[in-house]
Amino acid sequence: MYDSTCGAAASGQCGKSQREGDGPPTREPPPVPLERDYSGFDIVKATQYGAFSRVKELVEAGWDVNQPDHETVTLLHWAAINNRREIIEYLLSKGAAVDAVGGELQSTPLHWATRQGHLEATVLLVRAGADPTLRDAEGCASLHLAAQFGHTAVVAYLVARGVNPDAPDAGGMTPLMWAAWKVCSVDPARLLLTLGASTNPVDNSHGNTALHWAILARNTTAISTLILYGNANLDIPNLRGATPLAMLQAGADTLWVGSKVSDRVKEHALLSTRRSVFRRLTYDKKFRWWCVVGLPFIAFYVTGLVLDMDAVYLLKAFLLVCFYALLHFLSNALFDDELKNIFPLSVYLATKVWFYITWVVFIAPVVSGAATVGFFLFSVALWYTFLRSWRSDPGVITGTKPDKFRTIIELSESTRGGFDPARFCSACLVRRPLRSKHCSVCNRCVAKFDHHCPWVGNCIGAKNHRYFIGFLVCLLIMCAWMVWGGAQYVRQQCAAGSPAGGEAREEVAGGALRAALAALRCNAWLTWVMLNALFHLFWVTVLTSCQLYLVVCLGMTTNEQLNRARYRHFQARGGRSPFTRGPLNNCADFFECRLCGLLAPRRTDWAAAGLPDDALDALDAPDAPDAPDADTAPMLRAHHFV
């Protein structure tokens, strides 16, 4: 502790020097902090202020560590509420009663520690044998207090140590109910749900579930968490006969709960009552899923038909505007956020199917058989890499409930940062490996996370990144092949079959716009397909170039490139990737190719627990080994990056 008078004098001198302009500031070291004199403190005050030497002096002089003060509070209570680790350990070693009851609420030291959210004190007391199921005068156990005050880390530790997440207090209130009633953040409600807490129990006084309490508190975050994450039952009535569904409908005008919750409530209300067939279909999950899959196929076909009509362009444009306005209305009425996430995948599938049909109907008759066979044989590689990117595991990090509990206990009792977000995912309850990230779309942690790709409907990570690169390359070649085939058709059929073939050739030579109009007059459907192929060719070329540049030249993922300022191992190297080994070695590591023994790829299990700092430094060294040997690999996997 710094002496106040010394600090004031120092600040006054600094201000005077700046006002008078006495030259550059001095580089004298700051004054040495003066140690406070605790010799006059009694043992209670010394415990509260963390004066360990004074506490030890008085105990060694004969003070009884279990002697309560005039408020019936013991020294262990005061040490716990102030999170005095050293004093807690000392008092316990001297025989302090870990479950001593004191204070107005007849609480134990563990009650005091959990109410304040002191994880360190909670760990020490639980390991010393404190009973977390004991209730205070208000009927609350330690878990209820931690949930009431939003102490997520303490909640996690107590449940991992065996406390029932659905244990009721004296009034029947569960920790989830207290969190829904008192806490306006996502956790600890989400954490309790992940740890197995049920949304169905009701309290003794009102018959309310956790969702009832969240609605009564107008806690929109808890409402969303319970409905979307916990699938809370909307039809359980309380003692007054009110269900959460009725309460949400009654407060719909004044309680903003977001589009996802509103859709879920409307869907449940419509499916549980007799309404029109159309209204019921709009909230039928299977029907809406088929709509999101089928609409791109229909939209592509109808657009081609309109363009192929024998009508003026102004009428065609009007019809297309009306058609896409109708599609916009239907998409807003039928699609929720989850379905909108798979819509790009449906667009991709529809586009490729119509590519194949167009090739067979129009292009195959005007090109060689070898070109058609090659087009479809190459499509096999495209579909293989697409399916592996779409359906394969990107490197999802999972764990059983015992594994999650073990991780929580290890991090809680660790001295290296506890539940640091860089080391622990509070949504998945797993240890975060190096280069991993929690995907908000899929709600899961992915090893060596690159990005979530809507075009394949999956995360791109450690286990499918190579297939994704292969998919992009195959798609690039296929689109170029499709453009070439369309150009062959236009060159042969439009010029030869048109009475004004020479004029058409002049128009093509006159500019890209006139060429497109000439092709549109010749075969509007094929022109529409070629425009789609050209558009795909453009964005796939850009995406492929960016992906290869990041992987080969920089040795980093898309997520790392966008967020490298947030990662310490990039900051320590000036934003440069510690994983790069030069273009050739990066390419060998990524594709696991040896090039006839000229390259030595380094294989790393990115889904493992991570790498310690010294191994990370070794990755950045120019003479780093290609891979850990059999003896060191288990050691590397057993550690985590901080």
Side-chain angles (χ1 to χ4, degrees):
M1 182 176 296
Y2 287 86
D3 182 76
S4 58
T5 57
C6 178
S11 62
Q13 291 173 359
C14 179
K16 182 179 178 180
S17 174
Q18 291 175 354
R19 287 192 301 269
E20 294 179 357
D22 293 334
T26 60
R27 296 185 178 274
E28 297 179 0
V32 178
L34 300 179
E35 188 137 351
R36 185 165 183 174
D37 182 14
Y38 297 106
S39 59
F41 282 13
D42 60 32
I43 194 166
V44 172
K45 191 173 182 180
T47 303
Q48 293 171 340
Y49 278 79
F52 174 70
S53 58
R54 177 60 176 167
V55 172
K56 185 177 181 181
E57 176 187 348
L58 293 174
V59 171
E60 296 296 336
W63 186 274
D64 183 5
V65 294
N66 288 314
Q67 180 179 338
D69 60 13
H70 64 281
E71 297 177 344
T72 70
V73 178
T74 67
L75 296 178
L76 194 57
H77 282 86
W78 291 118
I81 200 173
N82 291 286
N83 203 31
R84 306 301 184 187
R85 177 189 178 93
E86 193 175 22
I87 296 178
I88 293 173
E89 292 177 330
Y90 177 73
L91 294 175
L92 290 172
S93 68
K94 292 298 182 179
V98 71
D99 285 328
V101 176
E104 292 182 2
L105 295 180
Q106 295 297 293
S107 305
T108 66
L110 185 59
H111 284 111
W112 285 35
T114 53
R115 181 185 290 269
Q116 297 300 117
H118 294 321
L119 178 61
E120 197 171 27
T122 300
V123 168
L124 291 174
L125 294 170
V126 171
R127 294 177 68 179
D131 186 357
T133 65
L134 295 178
R135 295 176 179 175
D136 59 17
E138 294 181 332
C140 292
S142 299
L143 183 58
H144 303 110
L145 295 175
Q148 284 182 38
F149 293 95
H151 302 313
T152 305
V154 176
V155 170
Y157 181 71
L158 291 175
V159 175
R161 276 293 187 179
V163 179
N164 181 8
D166 287 325
D169 63 8
M173 294 282 288
T174 65
L176 186 60
M177 294 179 193
W178 280 116
W181 173 247
K182 291 283 190 179
V183 184
C184 293
S185 59
V186 174
D187 289 316
R190 181 183 61 175
L191 174 75
L192 286 165
L193 292 169
T194 304
L195 294 173
S198 173
T199 59
N200 294 327
V202 297
D203 69 278
N204 300 336
S205 303
H206 307 280
N208 288 335
T209 64
L211 185 53
H212 282 98
W213 284 110
I215 298 170
L216 289 171
R218 307 183 68 81
N219 188 346
T220 55
T221 302
I223 294 172
S224 300
T225 303
L226 291 169
I227 293 178
L228 301 178
Y229 195 83
N231 294 316
N233 193 328
L234 295 170
D235 296 322
I236 299 178
N238 60 15
L239 296 181
R240 295 186 296 107
T243 64
L245 178 62
M247 295 171 67
L248 286 171
Q249 289 175 326
D253 296 333
T254 58
L255 186 64
W256 186 87
V257 291
S259 59
K260 289 184 179 181
V261 176
S262 297
D263 290 342
R264 185 73 63 88
V265 171
K266 292 177 182 177
E267 176 185 352
H268 188 84
L270 287 171
L271 294 179
S272 60
T273 58
R274 293 187 177 182
R275 298 291 181 94
S276 65
V277 175
F278 175 76
R279 291 287 292 170
R280 290 174 65 86
L281 280 177
T282 57
Y283 285 95
D284 182 80
K285 290 184 178 180
K286 185 175 293 186
F287 173 76
R288 289 190 297 165
W289 187 88
W290 279 109
C291 285
V292 77
V293 171
L295 276 180
F297 289 85
I298 298 172
F300 195 104
Y301 179 67
V302 171
T303 303
L305 285 182
V306 171
L307 292 174
D308 206 29
M309 289 173 55
D310 187 12
V312 297
Y313 289 125
L314 189 60
L315 177 60
K316 294 180 182 181
F318 175 74
L319 291 175
L320 288 177
V321 169
C322 293
F323 176 65
Y324 279 96
L326 176 62
L327 288 182
H328 179 72
F329 169 77
L330 290 175
S331 63
N332 287 335
L334 296 175
F335 300 168
D336 55 21
D337 290 342
E338 183 178 351
L339 291 175
K340 287 178 182 178
N341 288 331
I342 66 172
F343 186 73
L345 175 61
S346 302
V347 172
Y348 164 77
L349 293 174
T351 305
K352 297 304 161 290
V353 168
W354 287 116
F355 277 9
Y356 292 130
I357 295 174
T358 303
W359 186 283
V360 172
V361 175
F362 294 104
I363 299 176
V366 301
V367 298
S368 64
T372 298
V373 171
F375 179 79
F376 283 99
L377 284 179
F378 192 80
S379 295
V380 174
L382 172 66
W383 280 97
Y384 173 77
T385 53
F386 167 73
L387 291 173
R388 294 303 299 264
S389 302
W390 175 29
R391 304 302 298 171
S392 64
D393 175 19
V396 178
I397 303 162
T398 59
T400 63
K401 183 175 286 189
D403 291 336
K404 294 178 180 179
F405 284 176
R406 190 179 306 113
T407 298
I408 291 172
I409 293 172
E410 289 175 358
L411 293 178
S412 299
E413 298 178 353
S414 169
T415 59
R416 302 186 64 188
F419 296 99
D420 184 349
R423 306 165 62 204
F424 180 75
C425 176
S426 61
C428 301
L429 303 184
V430 294
R431 198 187 301 267
R432 290 188 55 183
L434 187 66
R435 309 187 79 179
S436 67
K437 187 179 182 295
H438 184 86
C439 176
S440 59
V441 178
C442 299
N443 192 31
R444 58 188 182 178
C445 285
V446 177
K448 198 185 177 186
F449 179 84
D450 188 83
H451 70 289
H452 180 91
C453 180
W455 297 103
V456 299
N458 197 7
C459 297
I460 306 302
K463 294 186 178 180
N464 67 347
H465 200 172
R466 282 179 295 167
Y467 297 112
F468 179 71
I469 295 290
F471 162 70
L472 292 179
V473 173
C474 292
L475 182 58
L476 183 65
I477 296 174
M478 181 190 177
C479 291
W481 209 323
M482 191 72 200
V483 172
W484 172 84
Q488 296 302 308
Y489 179 91
V490 172
R491 184 176 63 84
Q492 297 183 33
Q493 297 297 315
C494 295
S498 174
E503 296 179 6
R505 283 191 294 270
E506 291 178 3
E507 288 182 352
V508 172
L513 179 60
R514 287 195 295 251
L517 292 175
L520 188 63
R521 287 194 294 268
C522 174
N523 191 321
W525 172 268
L526 183 65
T527 305
W528 164 240
V529 173
M530 289 180 64
L531 287 175
N532 275 272
L534 284 169
F535 172 72
H536 280 67
L537 185 64
F538 169 75
W539 73 260
V540 173
T541 300
V542 173
L543 183 56
T544 305
S545 302
C546 292
Q547 283 282 306
L548 290 175
Y549 174 73
L550 289 173
V551 168
V552 176
C553 299
L554 300 184
M556 63 174 62
T557 64
T558 303
N559 172 62
E560 290 168 343
Q561 168 68 9
L562 296 176
N563 301 300
R564 53 184 168 180
R566 297 167 49 189
Y567 299 115
R568 186 175 64 83
H569 46 289
F570 282 93
Q571 296 174 4
R573 292 162 177 80
R576 191 171 64 90
S577 173
F579 312 105
T580 184
R581 299 200 300 146
L584 285 179
N585 285 320
N586 288 341
C587 191
D589 294 343
F590 184 80
F591 294 103
E592 295 185 0
C593 58
R594 294 188 175 275
L595 199 61
C596 300
L598 297 178
L599 299 175
R602 179 174 58 196
R603 295 181 177 88
T604 305
D605 183 8
W606 295 112
L611 298 174
D613 289 341
D614 55 348
L616 190 60
D617 293 336
L619 286 174
D620 198 32
D623 57 346
D626 297 326
D629 57 33
D631 294 331
T632 60
M635 179 274 292
L636 296 182
R637 287 195 295 268
H639 289 77
H640 54 268
F641 176 75
V642 180

